[in-house]
């Protein structure tokens, strides 16, 4: 008997206002902060809003299943139904891990590509990593989580938002614990 | 290294929408950079013959510290067989763009584009039904001449009927080209229509390309387009190009050879001597 083989897919949700690697600084603050090295080389592109939409695991799975049914029909939905589970999703950093069967990887990945919005918020799904075991996904998740929370903290610091700064510090610790607690 | 060779820009500089468009462009480029692309071509689309007083409206962004190659690209939508479109390197308005693409709208012009036009990319509107069949004999001419066919994915992300058309047209293109000489690009009007390079590679596999070819469609094939454009513009008969010595970077100085280096050091030594003698 051959073992049932899975793929684990680490994905990221990028919204129109997700802060990227650089903190974007609102136009009014540019003069004051012009000496800082973290300035966004692209200028103010509206990515300075820390308030991202709150998406629950259920919202995400509903969007994904709708997309599978819309693009691949009942046949695709049936093929992917059983092994498809969301193992982890962090609302702070908007990354998550999906488990799918190895044969249907392309269908689920394609469906992710065609999702354009979550609860009315325009977004992009971007796959960061795929692997055959969850362990590798875990280590990548930790690295990405850390990067993203650091970017957010950087931004909070620039905007002089002390409360958000300390909150994000706690979020970093939480997400580490949560990822490590994922069963292997 | 991943390329996106189609990022449309339209407004002429100085117009009312220019500032808005500039912001939208910066948003798209920022996201492209985040998604892992390292080269982008801004695309200006012109329908019909291009006038002599046409000025390239594309301004490349100044991005210090960011590893992103920027190209300008002209897409000429051609629809009249009797018109002479002046697509040759001698034409200064045409050669002010880095990359030249044509979008033929009927079979006669498609044949001409594959067989004779001096262009780098043949772009077809894949989001609607193609008005003619693609034939291997015609497409083969373009492949022999190193011209690439373009598939744009953002229309498929926008709506479902375009997605169906794209899938069907892509299938026929892949069948006649046998997966050769295809590039995948975005044609995204908004930042949220872009997708990551590996997501597009996966989409390519759904279209019927194999995984390695699909990856090449975003990387090495696009590089081939850029090199094709370079040899078309800046070389004599695609053999020799001339560049000033000052344009060489530090790592390229080996190209000058030993002789030149000795010459340079002798010159400086002589200068030093003459300086010394004049000061004494």
């Amino acid at each position: 008997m051959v073992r049932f083989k899975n793929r684990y897919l680490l994905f990221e949700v990028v919204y129109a206002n997700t802060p990227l690697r650089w903190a974007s600084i609102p136009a009014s603050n540019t003069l004051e902060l012009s000496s800082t090295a973290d300035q966004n080389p692209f200028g103010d592109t509206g990515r300075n809003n820390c308030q991202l939409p709150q998406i629950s695991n259920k919202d995400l799975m509903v969007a994904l299943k709708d997309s599978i049914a819309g693009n691949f029909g009942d046949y695709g939905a049936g093929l992917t139904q059983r092994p498809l589970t969301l193992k982890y999703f962090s609302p702070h950093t908007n990354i998550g891990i999906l488990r799918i069967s190895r044969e249907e990887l392309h269908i689920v990945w394609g469906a992710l590509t065609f999702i354009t919005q979550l609860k009315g918020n325009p977004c992009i799904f971007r796959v960061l990593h795929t692997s055959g075991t969850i362990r590798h996904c875990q280590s990548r998740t930790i690295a990405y989580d850390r990067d993203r929370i650091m970017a957010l903290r950087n931004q909070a610091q620039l905007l002089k938002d002390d409360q958000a700064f300390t909150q994000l510090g706690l979020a970093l610790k939480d997400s580490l614990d949560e990822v490590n607690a994922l069963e292997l | 290294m991943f390329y996106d060779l189609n990022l449309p820009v339209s407004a002429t500089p100085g117009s009312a929408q220019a500032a808005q468009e500039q912001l939208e462009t910066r948003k798209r480029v920022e996201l492209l950079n985040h998604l892992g692309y390292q080269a982008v071509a801004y695309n200006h689309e012109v329908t019909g013959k291009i006038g002599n007083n046409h000025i390239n409206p594309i301004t490349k962004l100044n991005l210090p510290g960011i590893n992103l190659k920027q190209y300008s690209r002209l897409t000429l939508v051609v629809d009249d067989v009797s018109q002479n479109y002046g697509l040759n390197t001698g034409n200064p308005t045409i050669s002010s763009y880095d990359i030249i693409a044509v979008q033929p709208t009927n079979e006669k012009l498609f044949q001409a584009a594959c067989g004779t036009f001096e262009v780098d990319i043949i772009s077809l509107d894949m989001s609607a039904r193609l008005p003619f069949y693609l034939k291997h004999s015609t497409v083969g001419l373009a492949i022999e001449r190193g011209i690439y066919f373009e598939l744009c994915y953002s229309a498929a992300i926008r709506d479902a009927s375009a997605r169906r058309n794209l899938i069907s047209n892509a299938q026929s293109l892949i069948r006649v080209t046998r997966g050769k000489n295809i590039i995948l690009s975005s044609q995204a009007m908004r930042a949220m229509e872009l997708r990551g390079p590996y997501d597009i590679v996966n989409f390519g596999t759904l279209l019927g390309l194999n995984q390695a070819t699909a990856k090449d469609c975003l990387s090495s094939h696009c590089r081939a387009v850029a090199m094709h454009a370079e040899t078309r513009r800046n070389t004599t008969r695609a053999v020799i190009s001339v560049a000033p010595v000052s344009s060489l970077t530090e790592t390229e100085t080996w190209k000058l050879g030993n002789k030149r280096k000795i010459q340079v050091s002798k010159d400086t030594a002589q200068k030093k001597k003459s300086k010394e003698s004049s000061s004494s």
Side-chain angles (χ1 to χ4, degrees):
Chain A
M1 186 62 192
V2 182
R3 188 165 64 93
F4 182 79
K5 290 199 170 156
N6 290 314
R7 277 277 181 273
Y8 293 89
L9 211 145
L10 176 66
F11 65 90
E12 177 191 25
V13 187
V14 184
Y15 297 101
N17 61 354
T18 307
L20 302 182
R21 211 178 317 161
W22 299 270
S24 329
I25 300 150
S28 55
N29 285 8
T30 351
L31 268 181
E32 188 189 335
L33 297 162
S34 56
S35 56
T36 53
D38 288 307
Q39 272 226 34
N40 189 345
F42 298 97
D44 181 13
T45 46
R47 291 184 179 275
N48 46 23
N49 185 356
C50 286
Q51 285 302 312
L52 293 176
Q54 287 299 310
I55 298 296
S56 69
N57 290 9
K58 203 178 158 222
D59 299 328
L60 210 117
M61 286 309 278
V62 167
L64 176 57
K65 284 187 174 160
D66 280 353
S67 174
I68 293 175
N71 289 303
F72 297 95
D74 293 339
Y75 181 67
L79 281 182
T80 52
Q81 200 166 31
R82 230 178 73 75
L84 182 67
T85 39
L86 185 64
K87 295 293 256 187
Y88 164 77
F89 182 70
S90 151
H92 286 291
T93 51
N94 288 305
I95 63 177
I97 299 175
L98 269 175
R99 188 189 70 173
I100 42 192
S101 81
R102 195 175 63 169
E103 285 73 31
E104 277 79 46
L105 172 77
H106 295 300
I107 291 182
V108 177
W109 193 344
L112 277 179
T113 311
F114 287 120
I115 296 177
T116 52
Q117 56 173 6
L118 272 177
K119 280 172 86 184
N121 305 294
C123 66
I124 294 177
F125 276 78
R126 172 195 178 206
V127 173
L128 301 170
H129 189 69
T130 58
S131 66
T133 57
I134 201 168
R135 196 187 296 259
H136 282 101
C137 264
Q138 244 178 338
S139 55
R140 292 297 287 262
T141 312
I142 291 168
Y144 270 99
D145 259 357
R146 196 192 299 122
D147 272 9
R148 189 45 41 83
I149 290 181
M150 282 314 186
L152 284 168
R153 281 188 82 171
N154 216 348
Q155 188 178 47
Q157 200 174 18
L158 279 176
L159 299 174
K160 303 203 166 70
D161 187 348
D162 291 335
Q163 200 190 351
F165 187 76
T166 39
Q167 261 179 10
L168 286 164
L170 294 175
L172 179 63
K173 206 174 157 291
D174 283 354
S175 81
L176 266 180
D177 292 346
E178 209 178 320
V179 176
N180 280 326
L182 281 178
E183 58 177 293
L184 290 176
Chain B
M1 179 163 160
F2 291 111
Y3 290 69
D4 184 359
L5 288 185
N6 193 346
L7 206 69
V9 291
S10 57
T12 44
S15 75
Q17 308 125 333
Q20 183 64 31
E21 171 136 343
Q22 189 69 21
L23 174 67
E24 195 56 53
T25 306
R26 275 192 285 126
K27 276 186 187 172
R28 284 181 290 175
V29 176
E30 183 188 32
L31 193 64
L32 274 178
N33 184 56
H34 174 69
L35 293 173
Y37 290 93
Q38 282 175 319
V40 58
Y42 305 110
N43 182 23
H44 180 61
E45 197 174 294
V46 177
T47 308
K49 190 175 161 59
I50 199 159
N52 276 335
N53 50 3
H54 174 87
I55 300 163
N56 183 349
I58 295 164
T59 45
K60 292 175 185 171
L61 299 180
N62 177 26
L63 302 169
I66 288 187
N67 181 17
L68 188 80
K69 271 191 197 165
Q70 300 177 79
Y71 299 100
S72 62
R73 165 181 159 176
L74 171 74
T75 302
L76 208 59
V77 181
V78 295
D79 44 13
D80 188 359
V81 189
S82 55
Q83 183 75 261
N84 175 16
Y85 288 98
L87 282 169
N88 50 46
T89 33
N91 187 339
T93 34
I94 296 277
S95 56
S96 66
Y97 291 90
D98 294 330
I99 297 169
I100 308 294
V102 282
Q103 186 176 329
T105 46
N106 57 47
E107 190 159 18
K108 273 265 169 60
L109 276 162
F110 181 65
Q111 255 167 3
C114 289
T116 53
F117 283 3
E118 269 187 59
V119 292
D120 311 307
I121 300 173
I122 296 175
S123 175
L124 294 165
D125 185 12
M126 294 278 182
S127 59
R129 266 183 80 97
L130 282 182
F132 48 86
Y133 282 109
L134 301 171
K135 275 186 277 179
H136 183 72
S137 54
T138 327
V139 167
L141 288 173
I143 295 177
E144 254 171 41
R145 300 200 304 136
I147 295 174
Y148 282 75
F149 293 92
E150 183 183 40
L151 273 174
C152 300
Y153 62 79
S154 81
I157 285 162
R158 252 175 271 145
D159 80 319
S161 69
R163 195 174 307 160
R164 281 178 201 177
N165 283 324
L166 178 82
I167 291 169
S168 120
N169 293 332
Q171 293 270 326
S172 55
L173 182 66
I174 289 166
R175 199 186 65 240
V176 291
T177 57
R178 313 209 166 113
K180 281 181 215 156
N181 284 42
I182 295 177
I183 60 168
L184 287 162
S185 58
S186 72
Q187 204 172 34
M189 311 296 276
R190 291 196 186 75
M192 286 289 116
E193 287 162 7
L194 295 166
R195 288 295 181 270
Y198 286 103
D199 298 315
I200 297 308
V201 168
N202 178 67
F203 178 54
T205 60
L206 288 176
L207 292 176
L209 293 163
N210 71 41
Q211 197 147 8
T213 334
K215 194 182 171 199
D216 287 344
C217 289
L218 282 157
S219 51
S220 62
H221 290 178
C222 293
R223 183 175 179 275
V225 168
M227 296 310 279
H228 186 264
E230 184 77 7
T231 46
R232 181 176 48 72
R233 288 173 69 231
N234 298 337
T235 59
T236 309
R237 292 174 190 276
V239 174
I240 264 185
S241 69
V242 181
V245 173
S246 57
S247 73
L248 292 179
T249 59
E250 192 88 343
T251 51
E252 288 175 321
T253 43
W254 59 270
K255 286 181 180 170
L256 299 173
N258 276 335
K259 208 176 172 186
R260 172 79 193 180
K261 266 185 205 157
I262 293 162
Q263 187 72 37
V264 171
S265 54
K266 259 187 193 169
D267 281 354
T268 46
Q270 262 182 355
K271 266 184 199 166
K272 264 187 192 169
K273 261 188 192 171
S274 62
K275 264 189 189 172
E276 274 166 21
S277 60
S278 65
S279 61
S280 65

